[in-house]
Amino acid sequence: MRNPVMLSAGILGLSAPLLRRVYESGAGAVVTKSIGSRPRSGHPNPTVVAVDCGLLNSMGLPNPGVDEFSEEVRSLKRWGVTVVASIFGEEAEEYVEVAEKLSEAGADALEINCSCPNVREVGLLGQDPGMVEEVTRAVKGAVDVPVFTKLTPNVTRIGEVARAAERGGADGVTAINTLRAMAVDVETCRPILSNVTGGLSGPAIKPVALRCVWEVAESVEIPVIGCGGILTWRDAVEFLLCGASAVQVGTAIMYRGLGVFQEIIQGIEAYLRRKGFGGVEEVVGRAHGAA
Ligand code: DHB
């Protein structure tokens, strides 16, 4: 990666031309929308609603299926884009099938989404350390590229789930996926999302995400990728200090546009200069007092 600021999964992630635009706007790598073994239309509308300090969505994992999406990955690689493919399944065999096909298509790394809050089978998997370990081990055994396991904050002890991913052979963990939440309309007197609950992202979840990155960094030796409510370079540095080696940015694009990547990257560079740090690695985990 040319820099440690990636596009997170789920935002602008279903088409090669859009992902290329994000990469050209400065992202160090792009993560795709989560891809499964078969085409899937997702939940009926409304699936997205802007709430105070964030975005609430219950898309239901819509995607064209791995065979069609492999062509998008091939296009991205022809254009020189560093691409992390996000994958999901209902059991280990489905993850393996998708992982094999997307790494074959040229994905530089894989991110295991075992933590979608909106599709019961996928969300439950990520709350069970035994399943997280099993899926991670199965995917790692099937591909040669780095594998990151994305963790849900919707558990009591995220450090234990991170350790399960590490035991399964993960090269890194991404923390965090969205928080389960809901919104209600006082005029219709009904929940706004068709699925009732959804995943909350954006600035509202940043303090939760920082706490999770902190706990995960104390629990595992493998690298942590920080994600959740990063809008500015200062937010990104907070994640690095808590132990993230790289960060992901998604919902911020809704607030700041694609210029957000350059803003964050240049802001981190200026911070490193001002503080006299030789590089990002001198900041990673520093809040733990280890550096
Ligand atoms: C969806 C998946 C996620 O992993 C998430 O955090 C939010 C929404 C979805 O497609 O419904």
Side-chain angles (χ1 to χ4, degrees):
M1 276 164 51
R2 58 189 177 182
N3 68 63
V5 185
M6 315 157 74
L7 171 72
S8 69
I11 307 273
L12 303 176
L14 271 176
S15 90
L18 273 176
L19 286 164
R20 181 189 195 179
R21 266 189 70 192
V22 176
Y23 188 74
E24 286 174 351
S25 71
V30 293
V31 186
T32 70
K33 175 70 181 165
S34 299
I35 303 300
S37 61
R38 289 175 301 281
R40 192 183 156 100
S41 51
H43 294 143
N45 284 326
T47 51
V48 189
V49 54
V51 294
D52 300 329
C53 301
L55 198 61
L56 183 58
N57 91 86
S58 182
M59 305 300 292
L61 295 170
N63 78 99
V66 66
D67 292 327
E68 196 176 320
F69 195 75
S70 293
E71 290 310 313
E72 306 295 316
V73 172
R74 290 200 172 85
S75 298
L76 289 166
K77 291 317 298 175
R78 273 197 301 277
W79 299 328
V81 176
T82 304
V83 51
V84 180
S86 172
I87 62 174
F88 77 88
E90 288 187 14
E91 73 281 295
E93 296 81 73
E94 191 176 355
Y95 279 93
V96 166
E97 178 195 344
V98 180
E100 282 173 341
K101 287 180 173 170
L102 292 177
S103 69
E104 172 76 29
D108 296 287
L110 298 171
E111 185 176 84
I112 297 176
N113 181 3
C114 53
S115 43
C116 168
N118 305 323
V119 177
R120 200 180 143 73
E121 301 74 13
V122 181
L124 287 180
L125 211 148
Q127 294 176 336
D128 176 343
M131 287 303 296
V132 169
E133 181 176 348
E134 180 188 327
V135 168
T136 304
R137 180 169 289 117
V139 171
K140 265 303 280 182
V143 300
D144 292 326
V145 295
V147 174
F148 313 129
T149 303
K150 188 165 182 176
L151 306 175
T152 176
N154 305 312
V155 291
T156 308
R157 277 188 279 276
I158 195 168
E160 279 182 18
V161 188
R163 267 197 298 274
E166 186 175 51
R167 274 197 306 277
D171 297 284
V173 286
T174 306
I176 55 175
N177 208 317
T178 54
L179 273 159
R180 282 191 77 214
M182 73 177 287
V184 182
D185 184 335
V186 297
E187 297 308 324
T188 61
C189 304
R190 296 283 298 152
I192 295 178
L193 296 173
S194 73
N195 191 48
V196 182
T197 62
L200 181 63
S201 62
I205 73 169
K206 193 189 79 172
V208 178
L210 282 173
R211 184 269 299 169
C212 288
V213 166
W214 177 279
E215 288 183 2
V216 169
E218 300 241 309
S219 304
V220 296
E221 301 291 326
I222 52 178
V224 183
I225 303 171
C227 179
I230 297 172
L231 222 57
T232 66
W233 68 264
R234 192 181 293 273
D235 297 329
V237 171
E238 288 169 13
F239 277 82
L240 299 176
L241 288 167
C242 285
S245 309
V247 295
Q248 296 179 350
V249 174
T251 304
I253 296 170
M254 177 177 93
Y255 297 100
R256 305 274 168 122
L258 286 177
V260 70
F261 289 98
Q262 279 304 334
E263 283 171 23
I264 292 174
I265 292 156
Q266 287 167 8
I268 294 173
E269 283 168 358
Y271 171 79
L272 294 176
R273 274 197 305 276
R274 175 163 64 78
K275 298 289 285 183
F277 292 131
V280 163
E281 59 286 352
E282 289 184 28
V283 183
V284 175
R286 205 176 180 92
H288 293 263

